[in-house]
Amino acid sequence: MADLRKLPNLAALRAFDAAARHGCFSRAAEEVHVTPGAISHQVRALEEDLGLQLFHRHGKRISITETGERFAATIRKALGEIAQAADHLRSQTRQQRLVISATPSFASRWLAPRLWKFIDVHPEIEVVLQSGSHLVDLRLDGVDIGIRFGRGQYAGVVTEKLSEDYYYPVAAPGYRGKQNKKLVRPADLVHCTLLRMDTRESWQPWLALAGLDLPEPRGTLVVEDSSLTLRHAVEGKGVALSRHTIAWQEIASGTLVRLFDVAQLCEEAHYLVHLPEGLEKPGVAAFRKWIVEEMRQFQAQSEWPGTVQKTSTRKK
């Protein structure tokens, strides 16, 4: 084990790190909030302590030596780890704040309507719900918990499967299609307008599962927003292919009905992710416990599909 009594002065190490990154004593001084002369003095003292030269001096210009480059890389990593550990400890003493990131559809249609339950039980926690289609970096973006819809292969985080999901068609109760006929079997879709939620989404896996040889719907309105697509279905403009967790509100209220007894198991699933040290934060542990139980109750209370089948890959 290294003798910590031989550790160089930390202020000098910080001054050296700043100078190595900026390649200039004056800009390093601005970062550390001292004078350029102080930076120069601290670096000189560090060189004397180590017994070697870290910078070449060319008047007011400096250039780092090869040895200095190697030492700077080590110092940068060590100082970064110290800063990260300190920030983690500070977060434990600040007023509890929980930042959650989820996909727009899941955030607005499943999570947000339920979050009040968690907040009622934990009024001491300030909850911030962020939504976006891009994959956030929990550490860099300051996010405590992520809810992701995908394959579950996420680097640098702890991943826990929340639930699977299913695709099936939904329509307004009174929707009859172009020939004004009641929809009683999948083949009746041939006379219907099929709504699409995204240009990447395809009806083909579900159609194949239902035994239908129909082409992909073309020429219809494509709305890259699940809420708007479901609204069009509610208004009787066609049949939408939706995931169960996205359409449950309208099905529960009776403004939409699930069509037929054919459900396609998604190849993606909903996952809860957090940093390896995440559960040390009380709010993260409390939210994880709450959402796991909330999802269990949702599956038990809603008409969770029974017999399903997995088909070909569907893009995220």
Side-chain angles (χ1 to χ4, degrees):
M1 183 175 178
D3 186 352
L4 296 182
R5 292 173 298 179
K6 297 181 179 180
L7 186 69
N9 180 275
L10 289 179
L13 291 176
R14 189 181 177 199
F16 166 66
D17 169 66
R21 283 187 286 104
H22 292 291
C24 175
F25 285 163
S26 60
R27 286 200 293 271
E30 291 175 3
E31 178 182 317
V32 184
H33 303 296
V34 296
T35 65
I39 293 290
S40 178
H41 175 75
Q42 289 172 333
V43 171
R44 183 74 71 180
L46 180 61
E47 290 176 322
E48 292 175 358
D49 181 27
L50 298 175
L52 51 83
Q53 190 173 7
L54 298 173
F55 289 99
H56 297 298
R57 273 81 169 174
H58 313 282
K60 292 186 177 181
R61 294 186 300 107
I62 61 171
S63 61
I64 194 166
T65 65
E66 185 177 340
T67 300
E69 284 277 17
R70 291 195 297 270
F71 189 51
T74 301
I75 295 303
R76 192 169 303 132
K77 182 176 183 295
L79 291 178
E81 290 177 351
I82 293 172
Q84 181 178 312
D87 186 63
H88 176 65
L89 291 177
R90 291 189 193 101
S91 70
Q92 307 303 310
T93 58
R94 290 194 293 259
Q95 178 183 10
Q96 292 193 50
R97 187 170 187 261
L98 186 67
V99 181
I100 305 167
S101 172
T103 58
S105 57
F106 187 84
S108 64
R109 305 194 62 77
W110 193 92
L111 184 56
R114 292 173 164 79
L115 264 180
W116 62 270
K117 301 180 185 178
F118 177 78
I119 294 171
D120 277 354
V121 178
H122 299 280
E124 75 283 2
I125 300 177
E126 178 187 28
V127 178
V128 178
L129 177 59
Q130 301 176 350
S131 66
S133 55
H134 67 288
L135 200 64
V136 301
D137 184 311
L138 269 62
R139 195 176 301 281
L140 291 179
D141 296 331
V143 173
D144 297 302
I145 288 180
I147 309 295
R148 297 176 175 175
F149 186 66
R151 303 299 181 91
Q153 299 174 345
Y154 307 111
V157 295
V158 177
T159 303
E160 181 177 355
K161 189 174 183 178
L162 272 180
S163 76
E164 295 177 325
D165 212 339
Y166 303 85
Y167 285 98
Y168 49 70
V170 294
Y175 184 74
R176 293 293 184 268
K178 299 174 184 177
Q179 294 192 352
N180 198 30
K181 293 175 58 177
K182 187 176 181 179
L183 308 181
V184 295
R185 54 184 182 145
D188 295 329
L189 291 179
V190 70
H191 304 299
C192 298
T193 298
L194 303 185
L195 304 176
R196 300 168 62 197
M197 290 191 176
D198 194 302
T199 54
R200 298 169 297 174
E201 295 285 348
S202 172
W203 270 80
Q204 289 306 309
W206 186 90
L207 292 173
L209 186 61
L212 299 177
D213 185 18
L214 295 177
E216 186 70 24
R218 301 295 180 190
T220 58
L221 178 64
V222 178
V223 182
E224 297 188 0
D225 184 310
S226 58
S227 295
L228 290 178
T229 304
L230 291 178
R231 184 185 302 172
H232 290 160
V234 169
E235 294 171 352
K237 295 178 181 177
V239 177
L241 186 67
S242 179
R243 295 202 311 270
H244 182 69
T245 53
I246 304 304
W248 72 272
Q249 287 181 330
E250 285 77 8
I251 293 175
S253 66
T255 56
L256 285 178
V257 294
R258 174 185 167 185
L259 301 177
F260 325 122
D261 191 22
V262 180
Q264 175 208 347
L265 177 63
C266 302
E267 296 213 352
E268 297 86 5
H270 300 282
Y271 290 91
L272 173 77
V273 300
H274 58 77
L275 295 173
E277 68 274 17
L279 292 181
E280 297 176 18
K281 188 172 182 177
V284 173
F287 183 82
R288 176 199 167 276
K289 180 179 180 182
W290 172 81
I291 195 172
V292 168
E293 175 60 20
E294 191 67 27
M295 181 61 77
R296 186 195 66 77
Q297 292 182 20
F298 169 67
Q299 294 178 358
Q301 296 169 3
S302 66
E303 295 182 5
W304 199 249
T307 303
V308 297
Q309 180 177 339
K310 183 183 291 185
T311 60
S312 60
T313 301
R314 175 180 294 271
K315 293 182 180 180
K316 297 179 189 178

